[in-house]
Amino acid sequence: QVQLQESGPGLVKPSQTLSLTCSVSGVSISNGDYYWNWIRHHPGEALEWIGYRYYTGDTYYNPSLKSRVSISVDTSKNQFSLRMTSVTAADTAIYYCARSYSGSSTFGYWGQGTLVTVSS
Amino acid sequence: QSALTQPASVSGSPGQSITISCTGTSRDVSAYNYVSWYQHHPGKAPKLIIYAVTSRPSGVSHRFSGSKSGNTASLTISGLQAEDEADYYCSSYTSTDTLVVFGGGTKVTVL
């Protein structure tokens, strides 16, 4: 059974770096069939896809966030992580990790999401 | 980024059928058969219920069905049940650099 679970600080100060980790179980993160994604949701607005990482190291980021985000993988822990720099209040959102088939825009499995608030 | 347009809320009585629309553009919904729908009960992980416009993943109830006409995709829930009360989001592949775009979500209320 595939499961994803986000973890990380719920509160980040403005201008600092947001770091979240997604722990994956039930499938190897090195499986070449899948992309590993981050998505966020500002309540009341549309979901926003942040980016993905493939097991080869290939990444692709939403152009609107590309300059501030990176996604990395720790295969030894079967985890992948999101790093977002220079955060502002506009980055306050629920952050989800999700799995998609490589080359697909469909997200077959999601984590429960974690709320990150940017505030001093 | 341009989001897909969904109604904020839809309601129906148990046993009825309801339809949620998802309107996009020539860069996403109308151009590709890559529309997906997700069910989200707050506090839980979103669940994929429709992909490729009309396909249901294994284990998803046949009461959920998808369709598309032009730049509008639709999700129909037939035989509405109390457990269907949730938020529903659509998404589509897009030819823009964003790759995928989502709708704003529709809250379904079972009366």
Side-chain angles (χ1 to χ4, degrees):
Chain A
Q1 180 181 356
V2 176
Q3 291 187 316
L4 292 82
Q5 179 66 58
E6 306 87 352
S7 61
L11 181 65
V12 181
K13 288 181 167 51
S15 80
Q16 293 193 341
T17 297
L18 178 161
S19 294
L20 296 175
T21 295
C22 182
S23 298
V24 180
S25 60
V27 62
S28 171
I29 205 164
S30 298
N31 188 316
D33 288 336
Y34 306 114
Y35 288 163
W36 303 98
N37 302 264
W38 286 96
I39 297 162
R40 70 180 182 179
H41 187 208
H42 299 95
E45 299 182 20
L47 290 154
E48 182 180 29
W49 174 74
I50 297 171
Y52 72 73
R53 187 176 179 105
Y54 190 43
Y55 84 106
T56 57
D58 289 347
T59 54
Y60 192 93
Y61 302 120
N62 188 319
S64 68
L65 298 169
K66 184 178 181 179
S67 64
R68 298 193 295 124
V69 303
S70 63
I71 299 174
S72 60
V73 166
D74 185 338
T75 55
S76 67
K77 295 181 179 179
N78 216 40
Q79 297 175 335
F80 64 105
S81 297
L82 171 71
R83 186 173 181 269
M84 179 181 294
T85 61
S86 305
V87 298
T88 69
D91 295 310
T92 294
I94 299 172
Y95 286 76
Y96 296 93
C97 57
R99 187 192 86 172
S100 62
Y101 278 102
S102 58
S104 169
S105 58
T106 296
F107 306 99
Y109 287 94
W110 299 60
Q112 290 184 314
T114 187
L115 174 63
V116 177
T117 301
V118 179
S119 174
S120 56
Chain B
Q1 71 187 48
S2 298
L4 305 177
T5 301
Q6 297 181 235
S9 63
V10 173
S11 61
S13 299
Q16 287 187 329
S17 294
I18 61 170
T19 297
I20 303 168
S21 60
C22 171
T23 301
T25 69
S26 59
R27 295 171 298 182
D28 38 65
V29 174
S30 65
Y32 306 98
N33 289 324
Y34 294 138
V35 176
S36 302
W37 289 91
Y38 303 90
Q39 178 191 60
H40 185 214
H41 291 101
K44 294 190 175 182
K47 176 185 177 183
L48 175 68
I49 56 173
I50 295 288
Y51 66 97
V53 181
T54 61
S55 297
R56 269 187 312 274
S58 175
V60 172
S61 172
H62 284 68
R63 298 186 299 104
F64 295 96
S65 62
S67 63
K68 189 184 81 167
S69 177
N71 66 352
T72 298
S74 298
L75 173 71
T76 297
I77 309 175
S78 58
L80 199 61
Q81 299 180 1
E83 67 202 46
D84 300 330
E85 190 162 287
D87 298 318
Y88 292 82
Y89 296 90
C90 62
S91 74
S92 174
Y93 175 80
T94 171
S95 60
T96 69
D97 290 344
T98 308
L99 293 190
V100 60
V101 64
F102 288 92
T106 298
K107 182 176 182 57
V108 168
T109 301
V110 181
L111 302 172

PDB file of all heavy atoms in Angstrom, chain A residues 72-99:
ATOM      1  N   SER A  72      14.825  17.585  -3.672  1.00  0.00           N
ATOM      2  CA  SER A  72      15.914  16.617  -3.581  1.00  0.00           C
ATOM      3  C   SER A  72      15.374  15.271  -3.111  1.00  0.00           C
ATOM      4  O   SER A  72      14.236  15.167  -2.659  1.00  0.00           O
ATOM      5  CB  SER A  72      16.993  17.110  -2.619  1.00  0.00           C
ATOM      6  OG  SER A  72      16.432  17.301  -1.330  1.00  0.00           O
ATOM      7  N   VAL A  73      16.203  14.246  -3.235  1.00  0.00           N
ATOM      8  CA  VAL A  73      15.790  12.891  -2.883  1.00  0.00           C
ATOM      9  C   VAL A  73      16.834  12.260  -1.979  1.00  0.00           C
ATOM     10  O   VAL A  73      18.038  12.469  -2.180  1.00  0.00           O
ATOM     11  CB  VAL A  73      15.610  12.039  -4.162  1.00  0.00           C
ATOM     12  CG1 VAL A  73      15.523  10.565  -3.812  1.00  0.00           C
ATOM     13  CG2 VAL A  73      14.369  12.458  -4.921  1.00  0.00           C
ATOM     14  N   ASP A  74      16.382  11.505  -0.996  1.00  0.00           N
ATOM     15  CA  ASP A  74      17.265  10.692  -0.156  1.00  0.00           C
ATOM     16  C   ASP A  74      16.811   9.250  -0.337  1.00  0.00           C
ATOM     17  O   ASP A  74      15.869   8.793   0.317  1.00  0.00           O
ATOM     18  CB  ASP A  74      17.155  11.136   1.301  1.00  0.00           C
ATOM     19  CG  ASP A  74      18.152  10.407   2.192  1.00  0.00           C
ATOM     20  OD1 ASP A  74      18.613   9.300   1.796  1.00  0.00           O
ATOM     21  OD2 ASP A  74      18.469  10.925   3.266  1.00  0.00           O
ATOM     22  N   THR A  75      17.478   8.538  -1.222  1.00  0.00           N
ATOM     23  CA  THR A  75      17.047   7.168  -1.525  1.00  0.00           C
ATOM     24  C   THR A  75      17.257   6.235  -0.335  1.00  0.00           C
ATOM     25  O   THR A  75      16.511   5.268  -0.175  1.00  0.00           O
ATOM     26  CB  THR A  75      17.789   6.621  -2.752  1.00  0.00           C
ATOM     27  OG1 THR A  75      19.203   6.726  -2.527  1.00  0.00           O
ATOM     28  CG2 THR A  75      17.420   7.414  -3.999  1.00  0.00           C
ATOM     29  N   SER A  76      18.225   6.531   0.508  1.00  0.00           N
ATOM     30  CA  SER A  76      18.499   5.654   1.655  1.00  0.00           C
ATOM     31  C   SER A  76      17.343   5.684   2.650  1.00  0.00           C
ATOM     32  O   SER A  76      17.104   4.705   3.364  1.00  0.00           O
ATOM     33  CB  SER A  76      19.798   6.057   2.336  1.00  0.00           C
ATOM     34  OG  SER A  76      19.674   7.331   2.947  1.00  0.00           O
ATOM     35  N   LYS A  77      16.637   6.800   2.680  1.00  0.00           N
ATOM     36  CA  LYS A  77      15.499   6.935   3.603  1.00  0.00           C
ATOM     37  C   LYS A  77      14.155   6.838   2.866  1.00  0.00           C
ATOM     38  O   LYS A  77      13.103   6.916   3.500  1.00  0.00           O
ATOM     39  CB  LYS A  77      15.579   8.278   4.337  1.00  0.00           C
ATOM     40  CG  LYS A  77      16.773   8.404   5.259  1.00  0.00           C
ATOM     41  CD  LYS A  77      16.758   9.749   5.974  1.00  0.00           C
ATOM     42  CE  LYS A  77      17.932   9.876   6.924  1.00  0.00           C
ATOM     43  NZ  LYS A  77      17.948  11.199   7.611  1.00  0.00           N
ATOM     44  N   ASN A  78      14.203   6.696   1.560  1.00  0.00           N
ATOM     45  CA  ASN A  78      12.994   6.680   0.726  1.00  0.00           C
ATOM     46  C   ASN A  78      12.150   7.941   0.962  1.00  0.00           C
ATOM     47  O   ASN A  78      10.941   7.870   1.192  1.00  0.00           O
ATOM     48  CB  ASN A  78      12.145   5.425   0.971  1.00  0.00           C
ATOM     49  CG  ASN A  78      11.493   4.919  -0.318  1.00  0.00           C
ATOM     50  OD1 ASN A  78      12.109   4.926  -1.390  1.00  0.00           O
ATOM     51  ND2 ASN A  78      10.245   4.496  -0.216  1.00  0.00           N
ATOM     52  N   GLN A  79      12.839   9.073   0.901  1.00  0.00           N
ATOM     53  CA  GLN A  79      12.206  10.361   1.127  1.00  0.00           C
ATOM     54  C   GLN A  79      12.577  11.341   0.021  1.00  0.00           C
ATOM     55  O   GLN A  79      13.634  11.212  -0.609  1.00  0.00           O
ATOM     56  CB  GLN A  79      12.662  10.968   2.471  1.00  0.00           C
ATOM     57  CG  GLN A  79      12.283  10.181   3.692  1.00  0.00           C
ATOM     58  CD  GLN A  79      12.884  10.786   4.959  1.00  0.00           C
ATOM     59  OE1 GLN A  79      13.911  11.469   4.922  1.00  0.00           O
ATOM     60  NE2 GLN A  79      12.237  10.553   6.090  1.00  0.00           N
ATOM     61  N   PHE A  80      11.723  12.322  -0.184  1.00  0.00           N
ATOM     62  CA  PHE A  80      12.113  13.444  -1.014  1.00  0.00           C
ATOM     63  C   PHE A  80      11.716  14.730  -0.302  1.00  0.00           C
ATOM     64  O   PHE A  80      10.821  14.731   0.551  1.00  0.00           O
ATOM     65  CB  PHE A  80      11.552  13.364  -2.442  1.00  0.00           C
ATOM     66  CG  PHE A  80      10.054  13.426  -2.571  1.00  0.00           C
ATOM     67  CD1 PHE A  80       9.425  14.573  -3.026  1.00  0.00           C
ATOM     68  CD2 PHE A  80       9.262  12.317  -2.298  1.00  0.00           C
ATOM     69  CE1 PHE A  80       8.053  14.626  -3.193  1.00  0.00           C
ATOM     70  CE2 PHE A  80       7.882  12.359  -2.451  1.00  0.00           C
ATOM     71  CZ  PHE A  80       7.279  13.512  -2.901  1.00  0.00           C
ATOM     72  N   SER A  81      12.397  15.790  -0.633  1.00  0.00           N
ATOM     73  CA  SER A  81      12.264  17.023   0.141  1.00  0.00           C
ATOM     74  C   SER A  81      12.070  18.243  -0.750  1.00  0.00           C
ATOM     75  O   SER A  81      12.521  18.269  -1.891  1.00  0.00           O
ATOM     76  CB  SER A  81      13.501  17.227   1.017  1.00  0.00           C
ATOM     77  OG  SER A  81      13.626  16.176   1.956  1.00  0.00           O
ATOM     78  N   LEU A  82      11.425  19.235  -0.156  1.00  0.00           N
ATOM     79  CA  LEU A  82      11.207  20.524  -0.801  1.00  0.00           C
ATOM     80  C   LEU A  82      11.970  21.584  -0.034  1.00  0.00           C
ATOM     81  O   LEU A  82      11.924  21.614   1.199  1.00  0.00           O
ATOM     82  CB  LEU A  82       9.721  20.879  -0.811  1.00  0.00           C
ATOM     83  CG  LEU A  82       9.357  22.305  -1.262  1.00  0.00           C
ATOM     84  CD1 LEU A  82       9.594  22.472  -2.753  1.00  0.00           C
ATOM     85  CD2 LEU A  82       7.903  22.622  -0.911  1.00  0.00           C
ATOM     86  N   ARG A  83      12.642  22.441  -0.742  1.00  0.00           N
ATOM     87  CA  ARG A  83      13.314  23.589  -0.144  1.00  0.00           C
ATOM     88  C   ARG A  83      12.875  24.829  -0.906  1.00  0.00           C
ATOM     89  O   ARG A  83      12.986  24.884  -2.126  1.00  0.00           O
ATOM     90  CB  ARG A  83      14.829  23.402  -0.211  1.00  0.00           C
ATOM     91  CG  ARG A  83      15.647  24.458   0.497  1.00  0.00           C
ATOM     92  CD  ARG A  83      17.129  24.054   0.505  1.00  0.00           C
ATOM     93  NE  ARG A  83      17.954  25.025   1.204  1.00  0.00           N
ATOM     94  CZ  ARG A  83      18.546  26.061   0.601  1.00  0.00           C
ATOM     95  NH1 ARG A  83      18.403  26.233  -0.693  1.00  0.00           N
ATOM     96  NH2 ARG A  83      19.283  26.895   1.311  1.00  0.00           N
ATOM     97  N   MET A  84      12.364  25.790  -0.146  1.00  0.00           N
ATOM     98  CA  MET A  84      11.901  27.043  -0.752  1.00  0.00           C
ATOM     99  C   MET A  84      12.540  28.201   0.006  1.00  0.00           C
ATOM    100  O   MET A  84      12.362  28.317   1.217  1.00  0.00           O
ATOM    101  CB  MET A  84      10.374  27.154  -0.701  1.00  0.00           C
ATOM    102  CG  MET A  84       9.812  28.442  -1.302  1.00  0.00           C
ATOM    103  SD  MET A  84       8.005  28.530  -1.172  1.00  0.00           S
ATOM    104  CE  MET A  84       7.529  27.191  -2.256  1.00  0.00           C
ATOM    105  N   THR A  85      13.269  29.034  -0.709  1.00  0.00           N
ATOM    106  CA  THR A  85      14.009  30.117  -0.071  1.00  0.00           C
ATOM    107  C   THR A  85      13.219  31.427  -0.079  1.00  0.00           C
ATOM    108  O   THR A  85      12.223  31.565  -0.794  1.00  0.00           O
ATOM    109  CB  THR A  85      15.353  30.348  -0.783  1.00  0.00           C
ATOM    110  OG1 THR A  85      15.090  30.712  -2.151  1.00  0.00           O
ATOM    111  CG2 THR A  85      16.207  29.079  -0.762  1.00  0.00           C
ATOM    112  N   SER A  86      13.670  32.348   0.735  1.00  0.00           N
ATOM    113  CA  SER A  86      13.128  33.720   0.761  1.00  0.00           C
ATOM    114  C   SER A  86      11.606  33.743   0.826  1.00  0.00           C
ATOM    115  O   SER A  86      10.942  34.408   0.027  1.00  0.00           O
ATOM    116  CB  SER A  86      13.608  34.494  -0.480  1.00  0.00           C
ATOM    117  OG  SER A  86      15.011  34.466  -0.577  1.00  0.00           O
ATOM    118  N   VAL A  87      11.055  33.036   1.794  1.00  0.00           N
ATOM    119  CA  VAL A  87       9.597  32.931   1.876  1.00  0.00           C
ATOM    120  C   VAL A  87       8.974  34.237   2.361  1.00  0.00           C
ATOM    121  O   VAL A  87       9.597  35.026   3.083  1.00  0.00           O
ATOM    122  CB  VAL A  87       9.157  31.761   2.776  1.00  0.00           C
ATOM    123  CG1 VAL A  87       9.634  30.436   2.207  1.00  0.00           C
ATOM    124  CG2 VAL A  87       9.650  31.958   4.203  1.00  0.00           C
ATOM    125  N   THR A  88       7.733  34.436   1.936  1.00  0.00           N
ATOM    126  CA  THR A  88       6.932  35.572   2.392  1.00  0.00           C
ATOM    127  C   THR A  88       5.568  35.042   2.846  1.00  0.00           C
ATOM    128  O   THR A  88       5.284  33.852   2.723  1.00  0.00           O
ATOM    129  CB  THR A  88       6.713  36.595   1.264  1.00  0.00           C
ATOM    130  OG1 THR A  88       5.852  36.014   0.282  1.00  0.00           O
ATOM    131  CG2 THR A  88       8.043  37.008   0.620  1.00  0.00           C
ATOM    132  N   ALA A  89       4.733  35.928   3.323  1.00  0.00           N
ATOM    133  CA  ALA A  89       3.401  35.526   3.780  1.00  0.00           C
ATOM    134  C   ALA A  89       2.618  34.850   2.653  1.00  0.00           C
ATOM    135  O   ALA A  89       1.748  34.010   2.914  1.00  0.00           O
ATOM    136  CB  ALA A  89       2.642  36.743   4.300  1.00  0.00           C
ATOM    137  N   ALA A  90       2.934  35.186   1.419  1.00  0.00           N
ATOM    138  CA  ALA A  90       2.242  34.583   0.279  1.00  0.00           C
ATOM    139  C   ALA A  90       2.546  33.098   0.118  1.00  0.00           C
ATOM    140  O   ALA A  90       1.856  32.400  -0.632  1.00  0.00           O
ATOM    141  CB  ALA A  90       2.612  35.328  -1.003  1.00  0.00           C
ATOM    142  N   ASP A  91       3.555  32.637   0.820  1.00  0.00           N
ATOM    143  CA  ASP A  91       3.893  31.206   0.772  1.00  0.00           C
ATOM    144  C   ASP A  91       3.177  30.405   1.860  1.00  0.00           C
ATOM    145  O   ASP A  91       3.346  29.186   1.942  1.00  0.00           O
ATOM    146  CB  ASP A  91       5.400  31.015   0.896  1.00  0.00           C
ATOM    147  CG  ASP A  91       6.161  31.606  -0.285  1.00  0.00           C
ATOM    148  OD1 ASP A  91       5.774  31.301  -1.428  1.00  0.00           O
ATOM    149  OD2 ASP A  91       7.113  32.374  -0.049  1.00  0.00           O
ATOM    150  N   THR A  92       2.391  31.074   2.674  1.00  0.00           N
ATOM    151  CA  THR A  92       1.562  30.371   3.661  1.00  0.00           C
ATOM    152  C   THR A  92       0.536  29.525   2.922  1.00  0.00           C
ATOM    153  O   THR A  92      -0.249  30.043   2.122  1.00  0.00           O
ATOM    154  CB  THR A  92       0.855  31.368   4.585  1.00  0.00           C
ATOM    155  OG1 THR A  92       1.827  32.053   5.378  1.00  0.00           O
ATOM    156  CG2 THR A  92      -0.128  30.646   5.495  1.00  0.00           C
ATOM    157  N   ALA A  93       0.545  28.237   3.173  1.00  0.00           N
ATOM    158  CA  ALA A  93      -0.317  27.329   2.426  1.00  0.00           C
ATOM    159  C   ALA A  93      -0.240  25.943   3.036  1.00  0.00           C
ATOM    160  O   ALA A  93       0.591  25.672   3.908  1.00  0.00           O
ATOM    161  CB  ALA A  93       0.117  27.264   0.954  1.00  0.00           C
ATOM    162  N   ILE A  94      -1.106  25.065   2.562  1.00  0.00           N
ATOM    163  CA  ILE A  94      -0.991  23.646   2.873  1.00  0.00           C
ATOM    164  C   ILE A  94      -0.136  23.027   1.770  1.00  0.00           C
ATOM    165  O   ILE A  94      -0.435  23.207   0.579  1.00  0.00           O
ATOM    166  CB  ILE A  94      -2.364  22.955   2.934  1.00  0.00           C
ATOM    167  CG1 ILE A  94      -3.208  23.588   4.035  1.00  0.00           C
ATOM    168  CG2 ILE A  94      -2.198  21.457   3.183  1.00  0.00           C
ATOM    169  CD1 ILE A  94      -4.653  23.107   4.056  1.00  0.00           C
ATOM    170  N   TYR A  95       0.902  22.325   2.146  1.00  0.00           N
ATOM    171  CA  TYR A  95       1.825  21.717   1.200  1.00  0.00           C
ATOM    172  C   TYR A  95       1.594  20.207   1.162  1.00  0.00           C
ATOM    173  O   TYR A  95       1.562  19.548   2.198  1.00  0.00           O
ATOM    174  CB  TYR A  95       3.273  22.025   1.585  1.00  0.00           C
ATOM    175  CG  TYR A  95       3.643  23.461   1.287  1.00  0.00           C
ATOM    176  CD1 TYR A  95       3.210  24.499   2.112  1.00  0.00           C
ATOM    177  CD2 TYR A  95       4.398  23.792   0.168  1.00  0.00           C
ATOM    178  CE1 TYR A  95       3.520  25.815   1.835  1.00  0.00           C
ATOM    179  CE2 TYR A  95       4.724  25.107  -0.120  1.00  0.00           C
ATOM    180  CZ  TYR A  95       4.276  26.113   0.712  1.00  0.00           C
ATOM    181  OH  TYR A  95       4.589  27.425   0.427  1.00  0.00           O
ATOM    182  N   TYR A  96       1.442  19.692  -0.053  1.00  0.00           N
ATOM    183  CA  TYR A  96       1.218  18.267  -0.272  1.00  0.00           C
ATOM    184  C   TYR A  96       2.375  17.671  -1.082  1.00  0.00           C
ATOM    185  O   TYR A  96       2.870  18.301  -2.022  1.00  0.00           O
ATOM    186  CB  TYR A  96      -0.051  18.026  -1.076  1.00  0.00           C
ATOM    187  CG  TYR A  96      -1.340  18.458  -0.425  1.00  0.00           C
ATOM    188  CD1 TYR A  96      -1.878  19.713  -0.657  1.00  0.00           C
ATOM    189  CD2 TYR A  96      -2.033  17.586   0.415  1.00  0.00           C
ATOM    190  CE1 TYR A  96      -3.066  20.103  -0.078  1.00  0.00           C
ATOM    191  CE2 TYR A  96      -3.235  17.965   1.000  1.00  0.00           C
ATOM    192  CZ  TYR A  96      -3.740  19.219   0.754  1.00  0.00           C
ATOM    193  OH  TYR A  96      -4.931  19.597   1.329  1.00  0.00           O
ATOM    194  N   CYS A  97       2.737  16.444  -0.743  1.00  0.00           N
ATOM    195  CA  CYS A  97       3.593  15.693  -1.647  1.00  0.00           C
ATOM    196  C   CYS A  97       2.707  14.679  -2.372  1.00  0.00           C
ATOM    197  O   CYS A  97       1.674  14.242  -1.842  1.00  0.00           O
ATOM    198  CB  CYS A  97       4.746  15.008  -0.911  1.00  0.00           C
ATOM    199  SG  CYS A  97       4.298  13.879   0.432  1.00  0.00           S
ATOM    200  N   ALA A  98       3.088  14.338  -3.591  1.00  0.00           N
ATOM    201  CA  ALA A  98       2.244  13.462  -4.404  1.00  0.00           C
ATOM    202  C   ALA A  98       3.085  12.712  -5.425  1.00  0.00           C
ATOM    203  O   ALA A  98       4.155  13.168  -5.837  1.00  0.00           O
ATOM    204  CB  ALA A  98       1.167  14.280  -5.120  1.00  0.00           C
ATOM    205  N   ARG A  99       2.587  11.558  -5.823  1.00  0.00           N
ATOM    206  CA  ARG A  99       3.251  10.735  -6.831  1.00  0.00           C
ATOM    207  C   ARG A  99       2.476  10.766  -8.129  1.00  0.00           C
ATOM    208  O   ARG A  99       1.246  10.674  -8.141  1.00  0.00           O
ATOM    209  CB  ARG A  99       3.346   9.286  -6.332  1.00  0.00           C
ATOM    210  CG  ARG A  99       4.150   8.366  -7.214  1.00  0.00           C
ATOM    211  CD  ARG A  99       3.961   6.915  -6.822  1.00  0.00           C
ATOM    212  NE  ARG A  99       2.789   6.322  -7.467  1.00  0.00           N
ATOM    213  CZ  ARG A  99       2.494   5.019  -7.397  1.00  0.00           C
ATOM    214  NH1 ARG A  99       3.272   4.215  -6.713  1.00  0.00           N
ATOM    215  NH2 ARG A  99       1.420   4.554  -8.010  1.00  0.00           N
TER     216      ARG A  99
END
